[in-house]
Amino acid sequence: MPREKKRQSRYKKGYAPSPDRIDRTRKALEMVRNNISIQKAASSNYLSYGYLYRRMSGEVEIDSRNGPAPVFNRSEEEAIANWLSEMAKRGMGLTPKKFLEFIQTILNKDKRKNPFKDNLPGYDWYYAFMARNGGIVDIRRETVLEVSRSRLTRQDVDRWYISFRKFLSSKGLIEKPAQIYNADETGFTMGSRAGKVVGPASRSAPVPHVTSSKDRLTAMFCGNADGQMIPPFLIYPGSKPMSSNSLMGALTGTALEYTKSGWMNAETFKKFIIHHLSRHAVSERPIVLLIDSVSSHIDMEVFQLAIENQIELYRIIPNATHLMQPLDKGVFGPLKKAWSQGTREYYRENPGCKINKANFAQKLKDTYMMFYKPLTVINSFKASGIYPVDSSAVSDDDLRPGLTFVINDTCASEIQSSQDCQQDSPENQSTVIESVKAARQAFEAFESVLVTPEKERYRTRIEEQYDVVGCSPRFDTYRKLFEKAQPISIPEGGDSSEISGLDVLADVASSVQAQAGHSQPSGDSGKVISEDLIFPQAPVKEKRQRISNILPDNLTSKECIRTLALKDLEKVREFAEKRRMKAMYEKKRSNERNQGKKRKRKQQKILDEEEEDDDDSDDDRDAICIGCTGTYAEDEMSGLQRTWIPCDSCREWVHEDCTPVEMPEGNSDEFVCHLCI
């Protein structure tokens, strides 16, 4: 009551009534029509007597407000509020500051009159807007969602659930929850998390949280839809010690393996399937194991060994484990909460001690015993829609971020063109007539079960257009059926074989439960607002071809084994082709190096010959005639054109006219000087 009085005092200052207040007013007016006093109706709905009397007498409208005219009308504000809500659901919500800047852009474009400075509303207007549209929008804290997980669509989810149901039916497991398992690994931090504690009143005094390191150890958990959990499978980083026993005090049946990184790999996953799961799972076969699509789980040898042990591996949609994996959905949350409480208590009771590989298994056992309840595991399978198989467990709101990633323009245009063709077709007109006739049948069937006073009261409320939303689900259904049965007249002989009255009644009931109508602004101003109320869309990019994208969901099927075998063969061929190309490249490089060496040797030979010629030319200039002892340089200086002949025996030079020996007739004949004869 005090809260309501505070709310009423705000509205007296000119704040428009919130949708909740309007609904309470409508319900109070309906109570007055049912012969309940105004005072009692107003009191039961937290309204004042005068406020309700003025609206009952028609003096003022139900949703009227005092003060100046609003900047946006009711339909425009609802459209803006619905847009804000949808943007937040898609992961692109606006902060209050950005929202006010968005309103400023609308006012700048629309040029409408407003009391704001520079068309920028203040926070008083923002708080009033939030109060008026409190049933649509509110301040919410965002949760982090990776881009890869935001691409999930309803078509992908429905396809997977349909396929999974068919798979369970084919294996005869649709009613055997004890044979449906889910396994996933998670990390545990060795330190405890800081939280709120009772401490000193003085804010200047520090309140530290003493904890251990931030190291993490990995544990693989597995449970079935019947609420049973098998012992954990631990993975520690490093090499296995020779002497210490790290499983001292652990839960019975706990297994331990060591890897270099401390995370699951193909070898440890194989040991988990063959030696751990086969030992602790139920004896009935086959069993289904739901896993995610990480690379360590994709191994043909593991799949073949699972087939030999009658274990069917079925993978969940990639990047959808936060919605569809039972352990992520309802087990790891309470388990981590219990672990955090246990570590905090341990560090408080054992100051200076640490949780490490030596005692982690024992502390995990204490946490497990504090956390484990079969009903928790059963509910996790139910909440994820795994058992019973139910695709509606993943709500449309969970998949709203996927609406940002639309199909390409070509597909969109084809869909739009097909819709346009269907809209004007005779078949479409016939369908409308059939649906109206079916609605009338459903309306008559629904009206027949009502008593006469109730039917008359409902008829009067519809004729007087006195609509009380949410006051009576039965009246809401009556009104919906009445509206569906009225649009057009049905010609005689209309056939309604395809659509029945029960179908229309079910459709109306679901629409009454949803209550998700969105008001659209009207007029020129409404067009300006509608142009700005758009949702960002990202083009669909071509996905990278990974092995996880081409495998079927049933990883132990013949199709999957064949796909993996072909993929391995393709890898072998690619490796052989790379080796061949590398060998050709090395051969080419070797030939180029050899040719380069030959080319260098040839160039060096030419250089050597040129140097020899230069040496010979220098020797020729220093030549001395053995007959007159004159030099070649002296002949050049004096300008004498005398013939010089080398001796082929002593390699000395002589003038032709300085030797008595006759000159040879041909160039091929040898010349021997007179000193060598």
Side-chain angles (χ1 to χ4, degrees), residues 12-25:
K12 289 179 180 179
K13 296 179 182 180
Y15 288 90
S18 64
D20 176 66
R21 188 183 180 90
I22 296 175
D23 291 340
R24 286 186 284 112
T25 303

Side-chain angles (χ1 to χ4, degrees), residues 13-68:
K13 296 179 182 180
Y15 288 90
S18 64
D20 176 66
R21 188 183 180 90
I22 296 175
D23 291 340
R24 286 186 284 112
T25 303
R26 293 180 184 275
K27 291 179 182 179
L29 292 174
E30 176 62 19
M31 293 174 65
V32 173
R33 291 179 63 87
N34 291 330
N35 300 324
I36 297 176
S37 65
I38 300 177
Q39 182 66 39
K40 186 174 181 180
S43 176
S44 61
N45 288 278
Y46 304 104
L47 301 172
S48 66
Y49 177 88
Y51 180 89
L52 182 60
Y53 179 81
R54 288 191 296 272
R55 280 151 182 78
M56 186 196 69
S57 62
E59 182 180 349
V60 295
E61 297 292 335
I62 294 178
D63 56 351
S64 66
R65 64 184 290 266
N66 298 326

Side-chain angles (χ1 to χ4, degrees), residues 172-445:
L173 302 176
I174 198 69
E175 295 182 357
K176 297 180 179 179
Q179 295 173 238
I180 303 175
Y181 283 83
N182 174 227
D184 191 23
E185 61 264 28
T186 184
F188 290 87
T189 305
M190 298 300 99
S192 59
R193 294 185 298 178
K196 293 183 178 181
V197 296
V198 179
S202 175
R203 295 295 178 179
S204 60
V207 182
H209 175 68
V210 180
T211 182
S212 182
S213 63
K214 297 182 180 180
D215 296 338
R216 294 171 64 90
L217 295 178
T218 305
M220 184 86 161
F221 285 90
C222 183
N224 61 18
D226 204 27
Q228 301 171 354
M229 295 283 291
I230 69 174
F233 185 86
L234 308 181
I235 304 101
Y236 287 177
S239 58
K240 184 177 181 180
M242 299 299 294
S243 58
S244 63
N245 182 14
S246 299
L247 291 180
M248 184 176 297
L251 195 68
T252 304
T254 302
L256 173 62
E257 289 294 332
Y258 289 83
T259 62
K260 184 177 180 180
S261 62
W263 290 96
M264 182 76 70
N265 55 27
E267 186 63 26
T268 53
F269 184 65
K270 180 174 67 175
K271 293 180 180 179
F272 168 78
I273 293 292
I274 306 305
H275 303 298
H276 194 69
L277 179 62
S278 299
R279 181 185 306 170
H280 297 285
V282 294
S283 58
E284 292 83 1
R285 291 293 189 272
I287 62 174
V288 179
L289 179 63
L290 291 164
I291 57 176
D292 51 24
S293 300
V294 298
S295 58
S296 61
H297 297 168
I298 308 299
D299 187 81
M300 186 167 65
E301 183 181 358
V302 175
F303 298 163
Q304 292 174 341
L305 292 174
I307 294 174
E308 295 176 2
N309 289 269
Q310 295 184 336
I311 299 175
E312 299 287 343
L313 300 180
Y314 206 91
R315 69 167 184 167
I316 299 173
I317 299 177
N319 302 314
T321 56
H322 63 295
L323 298 175
M324 300 172 60
Q325 184 153 252
L327 295 184
D328 279 346
K329 191 76 174 178
V331 173
F332 287 158
L335 178 63
K336 293 292 186 66
K337 183 178 180 180
W339 171 260
S340 179
Q341 294 174 354
T343 54
R344 189 180 186 90
E345 183 178 355
Y346 174 80
Y347 287 124
R348 186 177 65 251
E349 296 177 352
N350 302 274
C353 297
K354 295 182 179 180
I355 298 178
N356 48 29
K357 297 179 184 178
N359 58 357
F360 171 73
Q362 180 182 358
K363 300 306 173 187
L364 184 61
K365 174 187 175 181
D366 298 338
T367 300
Y368 181 85
M369 299 304 293
M370 180 173 55
F371 139 80
Y372 174 64
K373 293 179 182 178
L375 186 60
T376 301
V377 183
I378 294 174
N379 289 336
S380 68
F381 276 82
K382 184 178 180 180
S384 57
I386 298 300
Y387 190 86
V389 181
D390 182 15
S391 62
S392 64
V394 181
S395 65
D396 292 337
D397 288 339
D398 294 330
L399 303 174
R400 285 296 176 89
L403 299 177
T404 305
F405 305 93
V406 296
I407 59 177
N408 55 56
D409 295 338
T410 304
C411 295
S413 60
E414 291 177 356
I415 294 174
Q416 184 64 32
S417 61
S418 64
Q419 291 177 350
D420 294 340
C421 294
Q422 293 176 2
Q423 191 173 7
D424 298 331
S425 61
E427 292 81 1
N428 187 35
Q429 297 177 0
S430 176
T431 303
V432 172
I433 295 174
E434 293 170 359
S435 64
V436 173
K437 187 171 183 179
R440 286 190 177 180
Q441 294 175 356
F443 177 73
E444 293 173 358

Side-chain angles (χ1 to χ4, degrees), residues 107-213:
L107 296 178
N108 289 336
K109 186 184 297 184
D110 195 19
K111 307 294 185 183
R112 68 173 64 190
K113 186 178 179 181
N114 62 84
F116 310 132
K117 182 180 179 180
D118 298 330
N119 292 334
L120 179 63
Y123 279 91
D124 287 341
W125 180 88
Y126 163 75
Y127 291 127
F129 174 86
M130 297 295 290
R132 291 191 296 270
N133 299 276
I136 304 175
V137 289
D138 195 3
I139 290 293
R140 298 287 301 277
R141 181 176 294 277
E142 296 177 320
T143 56
V144 179
L145 182 67
E146 296 86 352
V147 176
S148 58
R149 294 188 173 188
S150 66
R151 297 177 182 270
L152 196 63
T153 62
R154 170 55 63 183
Q155 291 78 5
D156 297 335
V157 172
D158 291 343
R159 179 201 60 79
W160 187 90
Y161 277 101
I162 292 172
S163 176
F164 183 61
R165 177 183 287 275
K166 290 181 180 178
F167 170 76
L168 292 180
S169 299
S170 65
K171 299 296 181 181
L173 302 176
I174 198 69
E175 295 182 357
K176 297 180 179 179
Q179 295 173 238
I180 303 175
Y181 283 83
N182 174 227
D184 191 23
E185 61 264 28
T186 184
F188 290 87
T189 305
M190 298 300 99
S192 59
R193 294 185 298 178
K196 293 183 178 181
V197 296
V198 179
S202 175
R203 295 295 178 179
S204 60
V207 182
H209 175 68
V210 180
T211 182
S212 182
S213 63

Side-chain angles (χ1 to χ4, degrees), residues 613-630:
D613 293 341
D614 293 340
D615 294 341
D616 293 342
S617 62
D618 293 339
D619 294 342
D620 293 344
R621 291 179 60 84
D622 297 337
I624 300 175
C625 178
I626 59 176
C628 65
T629 67

Side-chain angles (χ1 to χ4, degrees), residues 573-585:
R573 289 177 177 174
E574 290 179 356
F575 180 76
E577 180 66 17
K578 289 180 180 179
R579 290 290 299 271
R580 188 182 69 83
M581 295 297 294
K582 184 177 180 180
M584 291 177 59
Y585 176 77

